[in-house]
Structure formats: C-alpha cells, structure tokens
C-alpha cells in the first residue's frame, strides 16, 4: 500500500521543517507540507495570548487551552480529509503531549497509510538553532527535545544533530511505499 501521510514529530528547532522541504524535493510525487506552525499562524492573534488558546511562556513552555484543542481537532480532521481525497501530506508536528498527541492523529488518520517519523536532535544543538533563528522563545527547544517523544511509537527515527536535512529526507523517502 502506498504511503499517504508522513508525520514528522520532534521538538522545536529539531529540523522538521527542513526535512519536510527536502522531502518535497526528493519524493517523486507532489506532497503538501503542513506544520503545527501553519495552524498557529492561521489562528487569530487573540488565540496566541489567551489561556483558552495557546500561550508561549518566557521560559519556552507552551500551554494550550480548550479553544486551541477544538481548532486543532478540526485542523487534524481537515488534513486527514485531504489525504483521503488523494493528496499526499507531510505533517510537521510537535507532540507536546507525547503519546496522547499521537493518539489524536492516529484517530483522525485511521485507515490511511502513515509513516511515523521521530525527528531527534541534541537539545544543546537545537537550542543553538533556536537562538540563530530568532523567531522562537528561548528555552522551547531544550524543554521539548525529549518530552515530545515520550510514549510515541515510530516506524523510523532520524537525528539531525550531525545529519543534514537532505540526508534525513532521503532515508525517509526510502521508506515511503
């Protein structure tokens, strides 16, 4: 059966977005790429500062409220519907809830053929990338580096600590059926 969805899960600044772009370049068919940043950017600004939405603490901690969860559920269902309609989709995700986050996606993706990929990166390296990017709250990379993988089951893992995004994408593409 042909892979319909690739889910990349890793902490902030672990290299998921770079891998997603490289996957789009190396995979033979067109693939859409969506990330948790896509969802957050689509929300009104008021949702990014309220306890009902998503909040980014000064220490890098991310907390989400019930309104965020409701919109996230609709977004996940929308991504699954696109895949069921024939689009191949790469999801760039941060499973803040570890296994519980994966379960939300598994429920929505159900009968679709999914390749689950863990994207790891040494927390110090990710923190350096975070600083260089300048668009993240300091501390997010370090606080998310391990927690996002807790209890999550993968078909494969890549580590971007010393491996370039293109090489990781090629390894993932080799597993896409």
């Amino acid at each position: 059966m042909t892979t319909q969805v690739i889910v990349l899960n890793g902490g902030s600044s672990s290299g998921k977005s770079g891998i997603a772009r490289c996957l789009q370049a190396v995979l033979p068919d067109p693939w859409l790429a969506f990330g948790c940043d896509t969802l957050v950017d689509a929300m009104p600004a008021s949702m990014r500062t309220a306890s009902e939405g998503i909040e980014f603490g000064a220490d890098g901690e991310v907390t989400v409220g019930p309104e965020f969860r409701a919109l996230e559920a609709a977004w996940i269902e929308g991504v699954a519907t696109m895949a069921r309609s024939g689009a191949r989709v790469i999801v760039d995700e941060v499973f803040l809830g570890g296994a519980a986050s994966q379960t939300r996606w598994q429920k929505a993706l159900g009968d679709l053929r999914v390749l689950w990929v863990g994207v790891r990166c040494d927390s110090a390296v990710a923190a350096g990338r975070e600083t260089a990017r300048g668009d993240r709250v300091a501390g997010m990379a370090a606080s998310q580096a391990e927690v996002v993988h807790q209890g999550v089951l993968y078909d494969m893992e890549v580590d971007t600590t010393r491996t370039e995004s293109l090489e990781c994408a090629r390894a993932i593409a080799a597993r896409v059926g």
Side-chain angles (χ1 to χ4, degrees):
M1 184 175 212
T2 303
T3 301
Q4 297 162 286
V5 179
I6 301 169
V7 177
L8 306 173
N9 174 52
S12 179
S13 299
S14 63
K16 300 175 308 297
S17 298
I19 291 171
R21 285 188 299 274
C22 289
L23 279 167
Q24 288 178 304
V26 301
L27 289 167
D29 298 311
W31 286 72
L32 299 174
F34 298 104
C36 51
D37 290 342
T38 308
L39 172 62
V40 172
D41 291 345
M43 292 182 175
S46 62
M47 287 285 294
R48 288 179 249 155
T49 59
S51 61
E52 296 83 24
I54 185 168
E55 291 185 294
F56 301 93
D59 61 353
E61 181 183 3
V62 179
T63 55
V64 297
E67 287 184 27
F68 176 88
R69 285 285 181 234
L71 289 174
E72 177 192 47
W75 180 70
I76 290 171
E77 286 295 333
V79 170
T81 298
M82 283 189 284
R84 282 192 186 88
S85 297
R88 294 179 186 228
V89 180
I90 302 164
V91 177
D92 165 352
E93 186 56 278
V94 178
F95 288 171
L96 293 174
S101 297
Q102 184 178 35
T103 299
R104 284 193 293 276
W105 276 97
Q106 287 171 324
K107 182 180 174 189
L109 298 174
D111 59 334
L112 295 167
R113 174 77 170 102
V114 180
L115 181 66
W116 298 94
V117 182
V119 179
R120 294 189 179 268
C121 183
D122 178 79
S123 63
V125 172
R129 292 176 186 168
E130 175 181 76
T131 301
R133 287 174 71 160
D135 66 348
R136 295 288 188 260
V137 177
M140 277 178 42
S143 69
Q144 295 175 3
E146 291 303 319
V147 71
V148 299
H149 299 292
Q150 290 178 352
V152 178
L153 301 175
Y154 298 113
D155 296 308
M156 69 179 295
E157 294 186 31
V158 294
D159 189 326
T160 66
T161 304
R162 291 178 193 82
T163 306
E164 293 296 322
S165 295
L166 183 57
E167 188 176 335
C168 292
R170 286 183 176 139
I172 295 165
R175 295 284 303 270
V176 173

